[in-house]
Amino acid sequence: MKRVILCSPIFDFDKKRFTIGGIQTYIRDLADVCLKNNISVILAQMKDEYLCYDETVVDGIKIEKYPSIMKFGKFQFQAVFNKIYDIIN
């Protein structure tokens, strides 16, 4: 079984570490619970500043960074979600 968690960035790809904060801790703990129950986890991060796709695995958690999709000068979260959905399904 696989779980995908869509989130704003909680992992810094430049520094190769998780950022600190309440929601970051919650999502990381949720991913850890899934792993302990033999459920693979993908953290799919979306942010308007991302220019390219990247991925890494940290402590068994796959983290993917999805580039922005701009339309009429605005970041389109729904378009990025649709792309992630199509790729994962």
Side-chain angles (χ1 to χ4, degrees):
M1 189 182 308
K2 174 175 32 177
R3 292 290 180 245
V4 178
I5 302 171
L6 298 170
C7 59
S8 60
I10 66 165
F11 183 81
D12 186 326
F13 276 83
D14 294 329
K15 296 179 182 175
K16 305 291 185 213
R17 65 179 181 191
F18 284 94
T19 57
I20 299 171
I23 193 70
Q24 292 89 335
T25 301
Y26 174 79
I27 292 173
R28 177 78 189 267
D29 289 347
L30 179 62
D32 287 338
V33 167
C34 289
L35 290 174
K36 288 177 184 171
N37 287 287
N38 296 318
I39 300 169
S40 63
V41 179
I42 298 172
L43 296 182
Q45 300 187 156
M46 301 182 292
K47 189 175 182 181
D48 56 348
E49 286 91 13
Y50 289 161
L51 300 176
C52 62
Y53 174 85
D54 198 2
E55 68 178 49
T56 190
V57 177
V58 177
D59 299 330
I61 303 168
K62 185 174 183 180
I63 305 159
E64 299 177 342
K65 175 175 88 168
Y66 285 90
S68 61
I69 296 176
M70 302 296 282
K71 193 173 193 178
F72 305 114
K74 292 183 73 178
F75 179 58
Q76 300 295 312
F77 283 102
Q78 186 65 48
V80 177
F81 171 83
N82 292 343
K83 181 177 180 180
I84 293 168
Y85 183 84
D86 290 341
I87 291 169
I88 292 174
N89 281 327

Coordinates of all heavy atoms in Angstrom, one line a residue:
M1 N 0.8 -1.2 0.0 CA 0.0 0.0 0.0 C 0.9 1.2 0.0 O 2.0 1.2 0.5 CB -0.9 0.0 1.2 CG -1.9 1.1 1.2 SD -3.0 1.2 2.7 CE -3.6 -0.5 2.9
K2 N 0.4 2.3 -0.6 CA 1.2 3.5 -0.7 C 0.3 4.7 -0.3 O -0.9 4.7 -0.6 CB 1.6 3.7 -2.2 CG 2.3 5.0 -2.4 CD 2.9 5.1 -3.8 CE 2.1 4.5 -4.9 NZ 2.7 4.7 -6.3
R3 N 0.9 5.7 0.4 CA 0.2 6.9 0.8 C 1.0 8.1 0.2 O 2.2 8.1 0.3 CB 0.1 7.0 2.3 CG -0.8 6.1 2.9 CD -2.3 6.4 2.5 NE -3.2 5.4 3.1 CZ -3.9 4.5 2.5 NH1 -3.8 4.5 1.2 NH2 -4.7 3.7 3.1
V4 N 0.3 9.0 -0.3 CA 0.9 10.3 -0.8 C 0.4 11.4 0.0 O -0.8 11.5 0.2 CB 0.6 10.5 -2.3 CG1 1.2 11.8 -2.8 CG2 1.1 9.3 -3.2
I5 N 1.3 12.2 0.6 CA 1.0 13.3 1.4 C 1.4 14.6 0.6 O 2.6 14.8 0.3 CB 1.6 13.3 2.7 CG1 1.3 12.0 3.5 CG2 1.3 14.6 3.5 CD1 2.1 11.8 4.8
L6 N 0.4 15.4 0.2 CA 0.7 16.6 -0.5 C 0.9 17.7 0.5 O 0.1 17.8 1.4 CB -0.5 17.0 -1.4 CG -0.8 16.1 -2.6 CD1 -2.1 16.4 -3.2 CD2 0.3 16.0 -3.6
C7 N 2.0 18.4 0.4 CA 2.3 19.4 1.4 C 3.1 20.6 0.8 O 3.7 20.5 -0.2 CB 3.0 18.8 2.6 SG 4.5 18.0 2.2
S8 N 3.1 21.6 1.6 CA 4.1 22.7 1.3 C 5.4 22.2 1.7 O 5.5 21.2 2.4 CB 3.7 24.0 2.0 OG 3.7 23.8 3.4
P9 N 6.5 22.8 1.3 CA 7.8 22.3 1.6 C 8.1 22.1 3.1 O 8.0 23.1 3.8 CB 8.8 23.3 0.9 CG 8.0 24.0 -0.1 CD 6.6 24.0 0.4
I10 N 8.4 20.9 3.4 CA 8.9 20.6 4.8 C 10.3 20.0 4.8 O 10.9 19.8 5.8 CB 8.0 19.7 5.6 CG1 7.9 18.3 5.0 CG2 6.6 20.3 5.6 CD1 7.3 17.3 5.9
F11 N 10.8 19.8 3.6 CA 12.2 19.3 3.4 C 12.9 20.3 2.5 O 12.5 20.7 1.4 CB 12.2 17.9 2.7 CG 13.5 17.3 2.6 CD1 14.1 16.7 3.7 CD2 14.2 17.4 1.4 CE1 15.4 16.2 3.6 CE2 15.5 16.9 1.3 CZ 16.1 16.2 2.4
D12 N 14.1 20.7 3.0 CA 15.0 21.6 2.2 C 15.9 20.8 1.4 O 16.8 20.2 1.9 CB 15.7 22.5 3.2 CG 16.5 23.7 2.5 OD1 17.0 23.4 1.4 OD2 16.6 24.7 3.1
F13 N 15.7 20.9 0.1 CA 16.6 20.1 -0.9 C 18.0 20.6 -0.9 O 18.9 19.9 -1.2 CB 16.0 20.0 -2.3 CG 14.9 19.0 -2.4 CD1 13.6 19.2 -2.0 CD2 15.3 17.7 -3.0 CE1 12.7 18.2 -2.1 CE2 14.3 16.7 -3.1 CZ 13.0 16.9 -2.7
D14 N 18.2 21.9 -0.7 CA 19.5 22.5 -0.7 C 20.3 22.0 0.5 O 21.5 21.7 0.4 CB 19.5 24.0 -0.8 CG 18.9 24.5 -2.0 OD1 19.0 23.9 -3.1 OD2 18.2 25.6 -2.0
K15 N 19.7 22.1 1.7 CA 20.4 21.7 2.9 C 20.3 20.2 3.2 O 20.9 19.7 4.2 CB 19.9 22.5 4.1 CG 20.2 24.0 3.9 CD 19.7 24.8 5.0 CE 19.9 26.3 4.8 NZ 19.3 27.1 5.8
K16 N 19.5 19.5 2.5 CA 19.2 18.1 2.6 C 18.8 17.7 4.1 O 19.3 16.8 4.7 CB 20.5 17.3 2.3 CG 21.1 17.5 1.0 CD 20.2 17.0 -0.1 CE 20.8 17.1 -1.5 NZ 19.9 17.3 -2.5
R17 N 17.8 18.5 4.5 CA 17.2 18.2 5.9 C 15.8 18.7 6.0 O 15.4 19.6 5.2 CB 18.1 18.8 7.0 CG 18.1 20.3 6.9 CD 19.0 20.8 8.0 NE 18.9 22.3 7.9 CZ 19.7 23.1 8.6 NH1 20.6 22.6 9.4 NH2 19.6 24.4 8.5
F18 N 15.1 18.1 6.9 CA 13.7 18.6 7.2 C 13.8 20.0 7.9 O 14.7 20.2 8.7 CB 13.0 17.6 8.1 CG 12.5 16.4 7.3 CD1 13.2 15.2 7.3 CD2 11.3 16.4 6.7 CE1 12.8 14.1 6.6 CE2 10.8 15.3 6.0 CZ 11.6 14.2 5.9
T19 N 12.8 20.8 7.6 CA 12.7 22.1 8.3 C 12.0 21.9 9.6 O 11.5 20.8 9.9 CB 11.9 23.1 7.4 OG1 10.6 22.6 7.2 CG2 12.7 23.4 6.1
I20 N 12.1 22.9 10.5 CA 11.6 22.7 11.8 C 10.3 23.5 12.0 O 10.1 24.6 11.5 CB 12.6 23.3 12.9 CG1 13.9 22.5 12.8 CG2 12.1 23.3 14.3 CD1 15.1 23.1 13.5
G21 N 9.3 22.9 12.6 CA 8.0 23.5 12.9 C 7.0 22.5 13.3 O 7.2 21.3 13.2
G22 N 5.8 23.0 13.7 CA 4.8 22.1 14.1 C 4.2 21.3 13.1 O 4.1 20.0 13.2
I23 N 3.8 21.8 11.9 CA 3.2 21.0 10.8 C 4.3 20.1 10.2 O 4.0 19.0 9.8 CB 2.6 21.9 9.8 CG1 1.7 21.1 8.8 CG2 3.6 22.7 9.0 CD1 0.5 20.6 9.4
Q24 N 5.5 20.6 10.2 CA 6.6 19.7 9.7 C 6.8 18.5 10.6 O 6.9 17.4 10.0 CB 7.9 20.5 9.7 CG 8.0 21.6 8.6 CD 7.5 22.9 9.2 OE1 6.7 23.0 10.1 NE2 7.9 24.0 8.6
T25 N 6.7 18.7 11.9 CA 6.8 17.5 12.8 C 5.6 16.6 12.6 O 5.8 15.4 12.6 CB 6.9 18.0 14.2 OG1 8.1 18.9 14.4 CG2 7.0 16.9 15.2
Y26 N 4.4 17.1 12.5 CA 3.2 16.3 12.4 C 3.3 15.5 11.1 O 3.1 14.3 11.1 CB 2.0 17.2 12.3 CG 0.7 16.5 12.0 CD1 0.1 15.7 13.0 CD2 0.2 16.4 10.7 CE1 -1.0 15.0 12.7 CE2 -0.9 15.7 10.4 CZ -1.5 15.0 11.4 OH -2.7 14.3 11.1
I27 N 3.7 16.1 10.0 CA 3.8 15.3 8.7 C 4.9 14.3 8.8 O 4.7 13.1 8.3 CB 4.0 16.3 7.5 CG1 2.7 17.1 7.3 CG2 4.3 15.5 6.3 CD1 2.8 18.2 6.3
R28 N 6.0 14.6 9.4 CA 7.1 13.6 9.5 C 6.7 12.5 10.4 O 6.9 11.3 10.1 CB 8.3 14.4 10.1 CG 9.5 13.5 10.4 CD 10.3 13.2 9.1 NE 11.3 12.2 9.3 CZ 12.5 12.4 9.6 NH1 12.9 13.7 9.7 NH2 13.4 11.5 9.7
D29 N 6.0 12.8 11.5 CA 5.5 11.7 12.4 C 4.5 10.8 11.7 O 4.4 9.6 11.9 CB 4.9 12.3 13.7 CG 6.0 12.9 14.6 OD1 7.2 12.6 14.4 OD2 5.6 13.6 15.5
L30 N 3.6 11.5 10.9 CA 2.6 10.7 10.2 C 3.2 9.8 9.2 O 2.9 8.6 9.0 CB 1.6 11.7 9.4 CG 0.5 11.1 8.6 CD1 -0.4 10.3 9.4 CD2 -0.2 12.2 7.8
A31 N 4.3 10.2 8.5 CA 5.0 9.4 7.6 C 5.7 8.2 8.3 O 5.7 7.1 7.8 CB 6.0 10.2 6.8
D32 N 6.2 8.5 9.5 CA 6.9 7.5 10.3 C 5.9 6.4 10.7 O 6.2 5.2 10.7 CB 7.6 8.1 11.5 CG 8.9 8.8 11.1 OD1 9.4 8.6 10.1 OD2 9.3 9.7 11.9
V33 N 4.7 6.8 11.1 CA 3.6 5.8 11.5 C 3.3 5.0 10.3 O 3.1 3.7 10.4 CB 2.4 6.6 12.1 CG1 1.2 5.6 12.2 CG2 2.7 7.2 13.4
C34 N 3.1 5.6 9.1 CA 2.8 4.8 7.9 C 3.9 3.7 7.7 O 3.6 2.6 7.4 CB 2.7 5.7 6.7 SG 1.2 6.7 6.8
L35 N 5.2 4.2 7.7 CA 6.3 3.2 7.5 C 6.3 2.1 8.5 O 6.5 0.9 8.1 CB 7.6 4.0 7.6 CG 7.9 5.0 6.4 CD1 9.2 5.7 6.7 CD2 8.0 4.2 5.1
K36 N 6.0 2.4 9.7 CA 6.0 1.3 10.8 C 4.9 0.3 10.5 O 4.9 -0.8 11.0 CB 5.9 1.9 12.1 CG 7.1 2.6 12.6 CD 7.0 3.3 13.9 CE 8.2 4.0 14.3 NZ 8.1 4.9 15.5
N37 N 3.9 0.7 9.7 CA 2.7 -0.2 9.4 C 2.9 -0.7 8.0 O 1.9 -1.1 7.4 CB 1.4 0.6 9.6 CG 1.1 0.8 11.1 OD1 0.8 -0.2 11.7 ND2 1.3 2.0 11.6
N38 N 4.1 -0.7 7.5 CA 4.4 -1.2 6.1 C 3.6 -0.5 5.0 O 3.2 -1.2 4.0 CB 4.1 -2.8 6.1 CG 5.1 -3.5 7.0 OD1 6.3 -3.2 7.1 ND2 4.5 -4.5 7.7
I39 N 3.5 0.7 5.1 CA 2.8 1.6 4.1 C 3.9 2.5 3.6 O 4.5 3.3 4.3 CB 1.7 2.4 4.7 CG1 0.6 1.5 5.3 CG2 1.1 3.3 3.6 CD1 -0.5 2.2 6.1
S40 N 4.2 2.4 2.3 CA 5.2 3.3 1.7 C 4.6 4.7 1.6 O 3.4 4.9 1.5 CB 5.6 2.9 0.3 OG 4.5 2.9 -0.6
V41 N 5.5 5.7 1.8 CA 5.1 7.1 1.9 C 5.8 8.0 0.8 O 7.0 7.8 0.7 CB 5.4 7.7 3.3 CG1 5.0 9.1 3.4 CG2 4.6 6.9 4.3
I42 N 5.1 8.8 0.2 CA 5.7 9.8 -0.7 C 5.2 11.2 -0.2 O 4.0 11.4 0.0 CB 5.2 9.7 -2.2 CG1 5.7 8.3 -2.7 CG2 5.8 10.8 -3.0 CD1 5.2 8.0 -4.1
L43 N 6.1 12.1 0.1 CA 5.8 13.5 0.4 C 5.9 14.3 -0.9 O 7.0 14.4 -1.4 CB 6.7 14.1 1.5 CG 6.6 13.4 2.9 CD1 7.6 14.1 3.8 CD2 5.2 13.4 3.4
A44 N 4.8 14.7 -1.4 CA 4.9 15.5 -2.6 C 4.8 17.0 -2.3 O 3.8 17.5 -1.8 CB 3.7 15.1 -3.5
Q45 N 5.9 17.7 -2.5 CA 5.9 19.1 -2.1 C 5.7 20.0 -3.3 O 6.2 19.8 -4.4 CB 7.3 19.4 -1.6 CG 7.7 18.7 -0.4 CD 9.0 19.1 0.3 OE1 9.2 18.9 1.4 NE2 9.9 19.7 -0.5
M46 N 4.9 21.0 -3.1 CA 4.5 22.0 -4.1 C 4.9 23.4 -3.6 O 4.6 23.7 -2.5 CB 3.0 22.0 -4.4 CG 2.5 20.6 -4.9 SD 0.8 20.7 -5.3 CE 0.0 20.9 -3.7
K47 N 5.5 24.2 -4.5 CA 5.8 25.5 -4.2 C 6.0 26.3 -5.5 O 6.6 25.8 -6.4 CB 7.1 25.6 -3.3 CG 7.4 27.0 -2.8 CD 8.6 26.9 -1.9 CE 8.8 28.3 -1.2 NZ 10.0 28.3 -0.4
D48 N 5.6 27.6 -5.5 CA 5.6 28.3 -6.8 C 7.0 28.6 -7.2 O 7.3 28.9 -8.4 CB 4.8 29.6 -6.7 CG 5.1 30.5 -5.5 OD1 5.9 30.1 -4.6 OD2 4.6 31.6 -5.5
E49 N 8.0 28.6 -6.3 CA 9.4 28.9 -6.7 C 10.2 27.7 -7.3 O 11.3 27.9 -7.8 CB 10.2 29.4 -5.5 CG 9.9 30.8 -5.1 CD 8.8 30.9 -4.1 OE1 8.4 29.8 -3.5 OE2 8.2 31.9 -3.8
Y50 N 9.6 26.5 -7.2 CA 10.3 25.3 -7.7 C 10.4 25.4 -9.3 O 9.3 25.7 -9.9 CB 9.6 24.0 -7.3 CG 9.8 23.7 -5.9 CD1 8.9 22.8 -5.3 CD2 10.8 24.2 -5.1 CE1 9.0 22.4 -4.0 CE2 10.9 23.8 -3.8 CZ 10.0 22.9 -3.2 OH 10.2 22.5 -1.9
L51 N 11.5 25.2 -9.8 CA 11.7 25.3 -11.3 C 11.8 23.9 -11.9 O 11.7 23.8 -13.1 CB 12.9 26.1 -11.6 CG 12.9 27.6 -11.1 CD1 14.2 28.3 -11.4 CD2 11.7 28.3 -11.7
C52 N 12.2 22.9 -11.1 CA 12.4 21.6 -11.7 C 12.0 20.5 -10.7 O 12.0 20.7 -9.5 CB 13.9 21.4 -12.1 SG 15.0 21.5 -10.8
Y53 N 11.8 19.3 -11.2 CA 11.5 18.1 -10.4 C 12.7 17.6 -9.7 O 13.8 17.7 -10.3 CB 10.8 17.0 -11.3 CG 10.6 15.8 -10.5 CD1 9.4 15.6 -9.8 CD2 11.5 14.7 -10.6 CE1 9.2 14.4 -9.1 CE2 11.3 13.6 -9.9 CZ 10.2 13.4 -9.2 OH 9.9 12.2 -8.5
D54 N 12.6 17.2 -8.5 CA 13.7 16.5 -7.8 C 13.1 15.5 -6.8 O 11.9 15.7 -6.4 CB 14.5 17.6 -7.1 CG 15.9 17.1 -6.7 OD1 16.2 15.9 -7.0 OD2 16.7 17.8 -6.1
E55 N 13.9 14.6 -6.4 CA 13.4 13.6 -5.4 C 14.6 13.1 -4.6 O 15.7 13.1 -5.1 CB 12.6 12.4 -6.1 CG 13.5 11.5 -6.9 CD 12.7 10.4 -7.5 OE1 11.6 10.6 -8.1 OE2 13.2 9.2 -7.4
T56 N 14.3 12.6 -3.4 CA 15.3 12.0 -2.6 C 14.5 11.1 -1.6 O 13.3 11.1 -1.5 CB 16.1 13.1 -1.8 OG1 17.2 12.5 -1.1 CG2 15.2 13.8 -0.8
V57 N 15.3 10.3 -0.9 CA 14.7 9.4 0.1 C 15.5 9.6 1.4 O 16.7 9.6 1.4 CB 14.8 7.9 -0.3 CG1 14.3 7.0 0.8 CG2 14.1 7.6 -1.6
V58 N 14.7 9.9 2.5 CA 15.3 10.2 3.8 C 14.6 9.3 4.8 O 13.4 9.4 4.9 CB 15.2 11.7 4.2 CG1 15.7 11.9 5.6 CG2 15.9 12.6 3.2
D59 N 15.3 8.4 5.5 CA 14.8 7.5 6.5 C 13.6 6.7 5.9 O 12.6 6.5 6.6 CB 14.3 8.3 7.7 CG 15.5 9.0 8.4 OD1 16.6 8.5 8.3 OD2 15.3 10.1 9.0
G60 N 13.7 6.3 4.7 CA 12.6 5.5 4.1 C 11.4 6.3 3.5 O 10.5 5.7 2.9
I61 N 11.5 7.6 3.7 CA 10.4 8.5 3.2 C 10.9 9.1 1.8 O 11.9 9.7 1.8 CB 10.1 9.6 4.2 CG1 9.7 9.1 5.5 CG2 9.0 10.5 3.6 CD1 9.7 10.1 6.6
K62 N 10.1 8.8 0.8 CA 10.4 9.4 -0.5 C 9.8 10.8 -0.5 O 8.7 11.0 -0.2 CB 9.8 8.6 -1.6 CG 10.2 9.1 -3.0 CD 9.7 8.1 -4.1 CE 10.2 8.6 -5.5 NZ 9.7 7.7 -6.5
I63 N 10.7 11.8 -0.9 CA 10.3 13.2 -0.9 C 10.4 13.7 -2.4 O 11.5 13.5 -3.0 CB 11.1 14.1 0.0 CG1 11.1 13.5 1.4 CG2 10.6 15.5 0.0 CD1 12.2 13.9 2.3
E64 N 9.4 14.2 -2.9 CA 9.4 14.7 -4.3 C 9.1 16.2 -4.4 O 8.2 16.6 -3.7 CB 8.4 13.9 -5.2 CG 8.7 12.4 -5.2 CD 7.6 11.6 -6.0 OE1 6.5 12.2 -6.3 OE2 8.0 10.5 -6.4
K65 N 9.8 16.9 -5.2 CA 9.6 18.3 -5.4 C 9.1 18.5 -6.8 O 9.7 18.1 -7.7 CB 10.9 19.0 -5.2 CG 11.0 20.5 -5.4 CD 12.3 21.1 -5.1 CE 13.2 21.0 -6.3 NZ 14.5 21.8 -6.1
Y66 N 7.9 19.1 -6.8 CA 7.2 19.3 -8.1 C 7.3 20.8 -8.6 O 7.0 21.7 -7.8 CB 5.8 18.9 -8.1 CG 5.6 17.4 -8.1 CD1 5.6 16.7 -6.9 CD2 5.6 16.7 -9.3 CE1 5.5 15.3 -6.9 CE2 5.5 15.3 -9.3 CZ 5.4 14.6 -8.1 OH 5.3 13.3 -8.1
P67 N 7.7 21.0 -9.8 CA 7.9 22.4 -10.3 C 6.6 23.1 -10.5 O 5.5 22.4 -10.6 CB 8.6 22.2 -11.7 CG 8.3 20.8 -12.1 CD 8.1 20.0 -10.8
S68 N 6.6 24.4 -10.4 CA 5.4 25.2 -10.6 C 4.8 25.1 -12.0 O 5.5 24.9 -12.9 CB 5.7 26.6 -10.2 OG 6.6 27.2 -11.1
I69 N 3.5 25.3 -12.0 CA 2.8 25.5 -13.3 C 2.2 26.8 -13.2 O 1.3 27.1 -12.3 CB 1.8 24.3 -13.5 CG1 2.5 23.0 -13.6 CG2 0.9 24.6 -14.7 CD1 1.5 21.8 -13.7
M70 N 2.6 27.7 -14.1 CA 2.1 29.1 -14.1 C 1.0 29.2 -15.2 O 1.2 28.7 -16.3 CB 3.2 30.1 -14.3 CG 4.3 30.0 -13.2 SD 3.8 30.4 -11.6 CE 3.7 32.1 -11.7
K71 N 0.0 30.0 -14.9 CA -1.1 30.3 -15.9 C -1.5 31.7 -15.6 O -1.9 32.0 -14.4 CB -2.2 29.3 -15.8 CG -3.2 29.3 -16.9 CD -4.1 28.1 -16.8 CE -4.9 28.0 -18.1 NZ -5.8 26.8 -18.0
F72 N -1.5 32.5 -16.6 CA -1.9 33.9 -16.4 C -1.1 34.6 -15.3 O -1.6 35.4 -14.5 CB -3.4 34.1 -16.1 CG -4.2 33.4 -17.2 CD1 -5.0 32.3 -16.9 CD2 -4.2 33.9 -18.5 CE1 -5.8 31.7 -17.9 CE2 -4.9 33.3 -19.5 CZ -5.7 32.2 -19.2
G73 N 0.2 34.2 -15.1 CA 1.1 34.8 -14.1 C 0.8 34.3 -12.7 O 1.4 34.9 -11.7
K74 N 0.0 33.3 -12.5 CA -0.3 32.8 -11.1 C 0.0 31.3 -11.1 O -0.1 30.6 -12.0 CB -1.8 33.0 -10.8 CG -2.2 34.5 -10.7 CD -3.6 34.6 -10.3 CE -3.8 34.2 -8.8 NZ -5.1 34.3 -8.3
F75 N 0.5 30.9 -9.9 CA 0.8 29.5 -9.6 C -0.5 28.7 -9.5 O -1.4 29.1 -8.8 CB 1.6 29.4 -8.3 CG 2.0 28.0 -7.9 CD1 2.7 27.2 -8.7 CD2 1.6 27.5 -6.7 CE1 3.0 25.9 -8.4 CE2 1.9 26.2 -6.3 CZ 2.7 25.4 -7.1
Q76 N -0.6 27.6 -10.2 CA -1.8 26.8 -10.3 C -1.7 25.6 -9.5 O -1.1 24.6 -10.0 CB -2.1 26.5 -11.8 CG -2.3 27.7 -12.6 CD -3.5 28.5 -12.2 OE1 -4.6 28.0 -12.0 NE2 -3.4 29.8 -12.1
F77 N -2.1 25.6 -8.2 CA -2.0 24.4 -7.3 C -2.8 23.3 -7.9 O -2.4 22.1 -7.9 CB -2.6 24.7 -5.9 CG -1.6 25.5 -5.1 CD1 -1.7 26.9 -4.9 CD2 -0.5 24.9 -4.5 CE1 -0.8 27.6 -4.1 CE2 0.4 25.6 -3.7 CZ 0.2 26.9 -3.6
Q78 N -4.0 23.5 -8.5 CA -4.8 22.5 -9.0 C -4.1 21.8 -10.2 O -4.2 20.5 -10.3 CB -6.2 23.0 -9.5 CG -7.1 21.9 -9.9 CD -7.5 20.9 -8.8 OE1 -7.9 21.4 -7.7 NE2 -7.4 19.6 -9.0
A79 N -3.5 22.5 -11.0 CA -2.7 21.9 -12.2 C -1.6 21.0 -11.7 O -1.4 20.0 -12.2 CB -2.2 23.0 -13.1
V80 N -0.9 21.5 -10.7 CA 0.2 20.7 -10.1 C -0.4 19.4 -9.5 O 0.1 18.3 -9.7 CB 1.0 21.5 -9.1 CG1 2.1 20.6 -8.5 CG2 1.7 22.7 -9.7
F81 N -1.5 19.6 -8.7 CA -2.1 18.4 -8.1 C -2.5 17.4 -9.2 O -2.3 16.2 -9.0 CB -3.4 18.8 -7.3 CG -4.2 17.7 -6.9 CD1 -3.9 17.0 -5.7 CD2 -5.3 17.2 -7.6 CE1 -4.6 15.9 -5.3 CE2 -6.0 16.1 -7.2 CZ -5.7 15.5 -6.0
N82 N -3.1 17.9 -10.3 CA -3.6 17.0 -11.4 C -2.4 16.2 -12.0 O -2.5 15.0 -12.3 CB -4.3 17.8 -12.5 CG -5.6 18.3 -12.0 OD1 -6.2 17.9 -11.0 ND2 -6.1 19.3 -12.7
K83 N -1.3 16.9 -12.1 CA -0.1 16.3 -12.6 C 0.4 15.2 -11.7 O 0.8 14.1 -12.1 CB 1.0 17.3 -12.9 CG 2.3 16.8 -13.4 CD 3.3 17.9 -13.7 CE 4.6 17.4 -14.3 NZ 5.6 18.4 -14.5
I84 N 0.5 15.5 -10.4 CA 0.9 14.5 -9.4 C 0.0 13.3 -9.4 O 0.4 12.2 -9.4 CB 1.0 15.2 -8.0 CG1 2.1 16.2 -7.9 CG2 1.2 14.1 -6.9 CD1 2.0 17.1 -6.7
Y85 N -1.3 13.6 -9.5 CA -2.3 12.5 -9.5 C -2.1 11.6 -10.7 O -2.1 10.4 -10.6 CB -3.7 13.1 -9.5 CG -4.8 12.1 -9.4 CD1 -5.2 11.5 -8.2 CD2 -5.4 11.6 -10.6 CE1 -6.2 10.6 -8.2 CE2 -6.4 10.7 -10.6 CZ -6.8 10.1 -9.4 OH -7.8 9.2 -9.3
D86 N -1.9 12.2 -11.9 CA -1.6 11.4 -13.1 C -0.4 10.6 -13.0 O -0.4 9.4 -13.5 CB -1.6 12.3 -14.3 CG -2.9 12.9 -14.7 OD1 -4.0 12.4 -14.2 OD2 -2.9 14.0 -15.4
I87 N 0.7 11.1 -12.5 CA 2.0 10.4 -12.4 C 1.8 9.2 -11.4 O 2.3 8.1 -11.7 CB 3.1 11.4 -11.9 CG1 3.4 12.4 -13.0 CG2 4.3 10.6 -11.5 CD1 4.3 13.5 -12.6
I88 N 1.2 9.5 -10.2 CA 1.2 8.4 -9.2 C 0.2 7.4 -9.5 O 0.4 6.2 -9.2 CB 1.0 9.1 -7.8 CG1 2.2 9.9 -7.5 CG2 0.6 8.1 -6.8 CD1 2.1 10.7 -6.2
N89 N -0.9 7.7 -10.1 CA -1.9 6.7 -10.5 C -1.6 6.2 -11.8 O -2.2 5.4 -12.4 CB -3.3 7.3 -10.5 CG -3.8 7.4 -9.0 OD1 -3.5 6.6 -8.2 ND2 -4.6 8.4 -8.8

